[in-house]
Amino acid sequence: MDVVLLPQQEELWPAEGTVADFEIWWADSRQQIRLKPSDPRYLRRDFAEFVARFRPGWPSHIGRPVLAG
């Protein structure tokens, strides 16, 4: 899980052993993936502003589920 996507207050982070759903937020050539919490309780409150600030021009389809077709 990518810690920068978690709430700033550690007490709001999921406790160790918490079962939750995650989305692949980022994958790169280093064969690493970064996970984004699907549950908004575990996502930073300013997520939209964070994306706008650090990923300007990020295509709107990125981050949406890929449906089996």
Side-chain angles (χ1 to χ4, degrees):
M1 173 169 25
D2 197 331
V3 70
V4 300
L5 301 180
L6 292 174
Q8 292 179 341
Q9 304 85 359
E10 288 184 36
E11 62 271 9
L12 298 177
W13 292 9
E16 186 175 335
T18 300
V19 176
D21 291 325
F22 295 88
E23 303 167 12
I24 295 176
W25 164 250
W26 187 265
D28 62 29
S29 61
R30 295 175 293 174
Q31 297 182 1
Q32 293 180 350
I33 60 170
R34 294 180 182 262
L35 300 176
K36 173 184 162 272
S38 296
D39 188 332
R41 292 179 298 166
Y42 304 133
L43 189 60
R44 61 186 299 145
R45 289 183 189 169
D46 67 341
F47 179 72
E49 293 85 10
F50 174 83
V51 172
R53 187 172 56 239
F54 292 104
R55 302 271 187 235
W58 187 287
S60 62
H61 68 279
I62 293 179
R64 292 195 181 154
V66 176
L67 304 174

